[in-house]
Amino acid sequence: MMMQLLRSREALLALAIVAMIVGISTRFGAFAAPENLTNVFNDTAILIMLALAQMVVILTRCIDLSVASNLALTGMIVATLNTIVPGLPVPALIAVALLFGAAFGAVNGILVWKLDIPPIVVTLGTLTIFRGIIFLISDGQWINAHEMSDSFKALPRVVFLGLPVLSWVAIAVVGLFAVLVTRAPLGRAFFAVGGNPDAAVYTGIDVGFTRFMAFVIAGAVSGLCGYLWVARYAVAYVDIAAGFELEVVAACVIGGISIAGGIGSVGGAVLGALFLGVIKNALPVINISPFWQLAISGSAIIIAVAFNARSERNKGRVILKKAEHLV
């Protein structure tokens, strides 16, 4: 039982996170304090949600490099709307963010599905387009805290049962994705399409539509995160979350989600995001510049992909050995 647990990617990642926290707390005891760990989770909440969004796309053998730009664009849209109609209820603004985010995700999905353009090319293009649209909407200007309504800024910070609402939203999203990938037919279709697209067709799964839905879901979550990011930090501008897509992909691959598709778990994505979150929060404590975060994320991607590839290759060898034995 113990050996099986240690072979689990999620268990090893959880142990690595605990080891980091313990190691840092030996020098800075306050780091492991419950209040600080709550702050770490809250700081990582948006990364957790975007990692889950990216996960469903990667499961289908695609990738969405536009999630951070989608977040920035939807954040600018709702912030602008809030300045124009300050009395608009926050739930309505969240609905707008979800709808616009899903629509931007649908653009990616249609281009991949109907025009058969490689996902990395599509999303690199829309990454730039979304940033350009932000500039057109804002004319390059910032929307600052004093221009936003108090209710708009308050929601992510409201504390409920010891956690900010932002953290509770992340927990709810984790629960929804757990149900999606383990119980819903669409979730099973994500794995089938990523595992073997040709075989998925013979089981009656529409590969193109399944990938389209993955992009729509990723877009909707990005839109939600757009509101949460802008409201929490009380600022909207062109370069919000610039480069954040690298951290999102890093969280996925660290969590064991295979870039080749068809392999991954909600727990892995969450732990991958928390791993990066702990590192990010630990950098100032150990006197390392936060600007190293991108370098660390990039290195983590390379190491994790190499580890994943080796694990998958070893599994293939075991299958071949069994086949040879049978012959």
Side-chain angles (χ1 to χ4, degrees), residues 16-262:
I17 293 170
V18 171
M20 279 197 300
I21 293 172
V22 171
I24 296 165
S25 64
T26 56
R27 293 185 59 188
F28 304 94
F31 190 83
E35 183 179 353
N36 185 65
L37 294 180
T38 298
N39 291 333
V40 170
F41 181 81
N42 197 55
D43 289 342
T44 314
I46 289 176
L47 179 58
I48 288 170
M49 290 185 276
L50 287 181
L52 291 169
Q54 187 73 261
M55 177 192 74
V56 297
V57 176
I58 293 176
L59 284 175
T60 65
R61 292 194 183 183
C62 296
I63 194 165
D64 187 351
L65 298 178
S66 69
V67 288
S69 297
N70 188 335
L71 177 157
L73 178 51
T74 51
M76 178 59 76
I77 289 171
V78 293
T80 302
L81 189 57
N82 178 245
T83 60
I84 297 171
V85 191
L88 196 64
V90 170
L93 290 170
I94 294 173
V96 168
L98 286 166
L99 288 171
F100 271 97
F104 299 142
V107 170
N108 289 331
I110 288 171
L111 292 173
V112 171
W113 178 17
K114 295 299 184 181
L115 299 185
D116 201 26
I117 305 174
I120 192 168
V121 175
V122 168
T123 56
L124 274 173
T126 53
L127 178 157
T128 307
I129 292 168
F130 294 162
R131 294 285 178 185
I133 295 173
I134 299 171
F135 187 85
L136 293 174
I137 291 173
S138 64
D139 196 27
Q141 302 299 311
W142 290 34
I143 297 177
N144 294 305
H146 69 275
E147 299 173 85
M148 301 175 183
S149 68
D150 291 337
S151 59
F152 179 88
K153 296 178 290 186
L155 183 63
R157 299 187 183 91
V158 173
V159 176
F160 176 71
L161 297 177
L163 286 177
V165 167
L166 175 59
S167 293
W168 285 115
V169 172
I171 291 168
V173 170
V174 171
L176 288 172
F177 271 84
V179 173
L180 172 65
V181 300
T182 60
R183 303 295 181 187
L186 181 60
R188 292 192 290 271
F190 291 151
F191 285 97
V193 167
N196 191 326
D198 296 326
V201 171
Y202 287 108
T203 63
I205 296 173
D206 187 328
V207 173
F209 179 74
T210 300
R211 287 174 172 163
F212 168 80
M213 288 304 301
F215 278 107
V216 170
I217 291 170
V221 174
S222 300
L224 173 63
C225 291
Y227 161 72
L228 293 169
W229 185 297
V230 169
R232 185 190 183 204
Y233 296 108
V235 65
Y237 57 98
V238 175
D239 291 329
I240 276 181
F244 200 60
E245 56 277 341
L246 180 64
E247 290 185 46
V248 173
V249 174
C252 287
V253 295
I254 289 170
I257 293 138
S258 174
I259 294 295

Side-chain angles (χ1 to χ4, degrees), residues 280-292:
K280 187 174 184 179
N281 279 269
L283 292 181
V285 173
I286 57 179
N287 296 321
I288 296 178
S289 169
F291 290 106
W292 279 97

